């Protein structure tokens, strides 16, 4: 019975989001308990991989954020390549509406953040924190509503979130590069060139590509450019089809997804969501940093995604998702404000100071919680009956 219940849980679409919530709550409990010292000590413990004094020596928190998250971005890269070549991003016509909504859903949150933090040189660099959407969390909440919403809304939210992640990757590459070391960057081009050559020769074995990807990750990390970008780039060199007609890309994607969804992302959440509540007052919630992040996620995402979608449809530039009403689209726009994993990740790139990171965690957790609850209620109240069969079949 227990094994059957576990199997049912992990087969549910919302299971990944539930694990994220559990990991975040566990982090907050531990960070505010007698175990807080051990929690900080373990995350701050240095781990080294060196040869003759040369290599990497970083605290565990950075191995998680730079190493494990590179695998997370590798999976995102695989999903992006698959969608671009044969999925939802293949036809430009299907991308226009969620694409423009994604742009609005990144620009408006950044604007809301800057409204509260403009002129503050200490916090203004966190402008991109509320611009991201957590795919697993948002789709998990949508799954809790069940078949009461048309499947077109799931496609809309998924496409929007994928394009949102593409934007987040570009933001990280352009604005979150530390001091650039050109020599290591040139060294990173060597494994990249070899992977490109393998693609041109239609190389069907993926093991050499993955090994070269790890080498490139090391050089990219040492160069000052954020190493997670190496994960995305490596993914784009994984062949969609091999000489036998099989898909190495889909095989790796399907095999890796459970480990990322149920392992890497919860570990990242546990390591980064430990907001210390001791001494926090209501005034702290209204400080520019957490208020800017929370308002960006709650209001910026909602206004940006829903506003652009409404304008595009009313101007005749795009069609509304089939079978969906405006209240349901509003609910999806709210769900896009669940930043969590990506927002915490960008926050960790923005600030080293633990007090500022505490403000980031506070803003991300509050904003994501309000967005998730608002989106769920909007969808639940606007979808009192299961979506019509014809609307589902049309998808």
């Amino acid at each position: 019975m227990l094994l059957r219940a576990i199997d049912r849980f992990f087969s549910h679409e919302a299971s990944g989001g539930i694990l994220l919530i559990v990991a975040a709550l566990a982090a907050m409990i531990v960070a505010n308990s007698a175990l807080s010292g051990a929690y900080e000590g373990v995350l701050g413990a240095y781990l080294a991989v060196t040869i003759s004094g040369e290599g990497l020596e970083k605290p565990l928190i950075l191995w998680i954020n730079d190493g494990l998250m590179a695998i997370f971005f590798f999976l995102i890269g695989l999903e992006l390549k698959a969608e671009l070549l044969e999925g939802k991003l293949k036809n430009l016509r299907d991308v226009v509406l969620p694409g423009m909504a994604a742009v609005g859903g990144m620009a408006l949150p950044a604007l809301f953040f800057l409204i509260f933090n403009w002129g503050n040189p200490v916090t203004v660099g966190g402008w991109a924190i509320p611009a991201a959407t957590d795919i697993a969390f948002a789709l998990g909440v949508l799954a809790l509503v069940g078949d009461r919403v048309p499947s077109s809304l799931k496609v809309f939210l998924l496409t929007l979130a994928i394009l949102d992640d593409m934007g987040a990757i570009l933001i990280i590459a352009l604005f979150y590069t530390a001091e650039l070391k050109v020599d290591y960057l040139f060294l990173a081009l060597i494994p990249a060139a070899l992977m490109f050559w393998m693609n041109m020769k239609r190389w069907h074995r993926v093991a050499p590509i993955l090994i070269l990807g790890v080498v490139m990750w090391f050089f990219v990390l040492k160069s000052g450019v954020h190493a997670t970008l190496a994960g995305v780039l490596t993914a784009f060199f994984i062949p969609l089809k091999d000489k036998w007609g099989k898909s190495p890309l889909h095989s790796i994607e399907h095999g890796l997804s459970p480990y990322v969804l149920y392992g890497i992302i919860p570990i990242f959440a546990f390591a980064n969501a430990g907001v210390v509540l001791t001494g926090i007052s209501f005034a702290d919630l209204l400080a520019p940093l957490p208020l800017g992040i929370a308002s960006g996620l709650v209001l910026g995402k909602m206004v940006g995604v829903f506003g652009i979608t409404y304008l595009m449809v009313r101007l005749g530039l795009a069609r509304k998702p089939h079978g969906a009403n405006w209240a349901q689209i509003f609910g999806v726009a709210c769900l896009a404000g669940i930043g969590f994993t990506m927002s915490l990740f960008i926050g960790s790139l923005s600030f080293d100071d633990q007090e500022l990171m505490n403000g980031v965690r506070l803003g991300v957790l509050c904003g994501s919680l309000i967005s998730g609850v608002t989106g769920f209620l909007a969808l639940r109240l606007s979808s009192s009956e299961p979506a019509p069969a014809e609307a589902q079949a049309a998808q």
Side-chain angles (χ1 to χ4, degrees):
M1 289 292 291
L2 178 61
L3 291 178
R4 195 176 304 164
I6 293 173
D7 183 64
R8 282 201 303 269
F9 170 77
F10 283 106
S11 63
H12 197 281
E13 286 183 281
S15 58
I18 293 172
L19 275 182
L20 273 179
I21 295 173
V22 171
L25 288 175
M28 292 179 66
I29 292 170
V30 171
N32 292 277
S33 70
L35 297 173
S36 61
Y39 175 75
E40 294 174 3
V42 170
L43 292 177
Y46 273 77
L47 300 178
V49 179
T50 59
I51 300 176
S52 299
E54 289 293 328
L56 294 176
E57 184 177 0
K58 291 179 175 292
L60 179 60
I61 183 69
L62 290 185
W63 280 104
I64 293 171
N65 291 353
D66 292 338
L68 289 184
M69 288 302 284
I71 301 175
F72 168 73
F73 276 88
F74 174 71
L75 180 62
I76 287 179
L78 293 175
E79 293 172 347
L80 284 176
K81 181 173 180 177
E83 296 296 343
L84 285 168
L85 294 180
E86 58 181 16
K88 302 172 186 66
L89 304 181
K90 183 177 179 180
N91 297 317
L92 183 61
R93 182 180 59 184
D94 298 329
V95 178
V96 172
L97 184 61
M100 292 303 297
V103 172
M106 297 184 74
L108 267 294
L111 179 60
F112 271 84
F113 179 90
L114 290 174
I115 288 173
F116 293 100
N117 291 272
W118 189 256
N120 187 337
V122 177
T123 61
V124 72
W127 61 270
I129 295 172
T133 296
D134 190 306
I135 296 178
F137 228 141
L139 291 177
V141 175
L142 185 64
L144 293 175
V145 185
D147 59 0
R148 295 175 180 273
V149 295
S151 59
S152 61
L153 277 182
K154 180 179 179 179
V155 174
F156 176 78
L157 178 60
L158 179 61
T159 307
L160 185 153
I162 290 172
L163 293 169
D164 194 291
D165 278 349
M166 289 180 66
I169 290 167
L170 289 174
I171 287 172
I172 292 169
L174 295 174
F175 300 103
Y176 289 93
T177 295
E179 182 181 352
L180 191 62
K181 297 178 181 177
V182 180
D183 51 347
Y184 280 108
L185 196 58
F186 275 113
L187 286 173
L189 294 177
I190 297 174
L194 288 172
M195 287 188 285
F196 179 77
W197 176 80
M198 289 177 178
N199 264 239
M200 292 297 98
K201 293 293 183 180
R202 298 188 180 278
W203 193 283
H204 63 275
R205 298 188 182 279
V206 298
I209 296 176
L210 295 176
I211 292 171
L212 287 170
V214 173
V215 174
M216 181 172 64
W217 171 84
F218 172 80
F219 287 133
V220 170
L221 179 63
K222 298 288 282 187
S223 73
V225 177
H226 203 271
T228 51
L229 300 177
V232 178
L233 189 58
T234 301
F236 274 83
F237 289 120
I238 301 295
L240 181 64
K241 300 288 184 183
D242 61 19
K243 64 180 183 179
W244 295 290
K246 297 180 179 179
S247 176
L249 187 149
H250 287 308
S251 296
I252 296 175
E253 181 185 350
H254 293 152
L256 190 60
S257 289
Y259 294 98
V260 172
L261 188 61
Y262 304 124
I264 290 176
I265 296 179
I267 288 172
F268 172 83
F270 181 76
N272 288 274
V275 56
V276 178
L277 301 175
T278 305
I280 288 182
S281 64
F282 184 73
D284 293 311
L285 294 172
L286 300 180
L289 181 58
L291 186 58
I293 294 170
S295 64
L297 289 173
V298 177
L299 299 176
K301 281 289 187 181
M302 181 265 290
V303 173
V305 172
F306 183 80
I308 293 294
T309 302
Y310 184 83
L311 285 175
M312 293 284 290
V313 172
R314 288 303 185 198
L315 293 174
L317 300 175
R319 289 185 297 177
K320 188 169 62 173
H322 186 76
N325 58 49
W326 284 114
Q328 292 170 332
I329 294 174
F330 172 80
V332 167
C334 292
L335 292 186
I338 304 176
F340 204 72
T341 305
M342 288 298 292
S343 293
L344 287 173
F345 181 69
I346 295 176
S348 71
L349 300 182
S350 304
F351 306 114
D352 294 325
D353 184 83
Q354 284 306 305
E355 187 174 342
L356 290 175
M357 271 307 299
N358 209 44
V360 169
R361 296 182 186 111
L362 195 61
V364 170
L365 291 174
C366 290
S368 297
L369 177 63
I370 294 171
S371 294
V373 171
T374 304
F376 174 79
L377 291 176
L379 288 167
R380 187 67 177 81
L381 295 175
S382 62
S383 313
S384 57
E385 297 180 358
E390 61 268 19
Q392 299 288 345
Q395 306 307 315

